[in-house]
């Protein structure tokens, strides 16, 4: 997802059960692995790796949004995370 005019980007990885939000520039992912493994000094999660690979190989789809929608998406991500972490 590309937000204009700022050029901010969010990457969505569609997994088996969920969609995950990642930002390879910040090294962020919304999945559990990221919270429990990556943040405690472990390896990057599968989604971050696959986003980096997709960027390298130019295998991604760009959807453009207005900057005004960015905050709304970040809020949606935060809520998703609460749901994910509460689900285990
Ligand atoms: Zn992940």
């Amino acid at each position: 997802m590309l937000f204009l005019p700022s050029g901010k980007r969010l990457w969505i990885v569609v997994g088996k059960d969920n969609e995950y939000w990642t930002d390879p520039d910040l090294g962020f992912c919304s999945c559990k692995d990221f919270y429990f493994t990556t943040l405690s000094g472990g390896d990057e999660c599968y989604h971050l790796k696959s986003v980096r690979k997709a960027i390298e190989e130019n295998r991604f789809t760009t959807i453009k949004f207005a900057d005004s929608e960015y905050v709304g998406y970040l809020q949606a991500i935060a809520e998703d995370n609460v749901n994910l972490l509460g689900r285990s």
Side-chain angles (χ1 to χ4, degrees):
M1 297 163 79
L2 176 63
F3 291 87
L4 296 172
S6 69
K8 281 195 281 270
R9 285 177 297 179
L10 281 175
W11 300 85
I12 300 171
V13 180
V14 181
K16 265 187 305 209
D17 311 310
N18 273 301
E19 290 181 354
Y20 298 102
W21 310 70
T22 76
D23 186 335
D25 296 333
L26 297 176
F28 167 84
C29 180
S30 67
C31 75
K32 274 189 187 178
D33 269 2
F34 178 79
Y35 278 95
F36 294 122
T37 308
T38 313
L39 281 186
S40 29
D43 210 6
E44 284 193 329
C45 70
Y46 166 80
H47 313 101
L48 270 172
K49 284 181 186 163
S50 45
V51 165
R52 288 191 205 282
K53 196 152 177 279
I55 295 170
E56 233 168 68
E57 296 172 0
N58 238 2
R59 284 187 296 105
F60 56 86
T61 311
T62 304
I63 311 167
K64 296 189 177 107
F65 292 91
D67 273 340
S68 55
E69 295 172 271
Y70 186 73
V71 171
Y73 279 108
L74 288 187
Q75 275 164 358
I77 295 169
E79 279 161 26
D80 273 5
N81 284 342
V82 171
N83 292 340
L84 263 182
L85 293 173
R87 203 185 285 162
S88 63

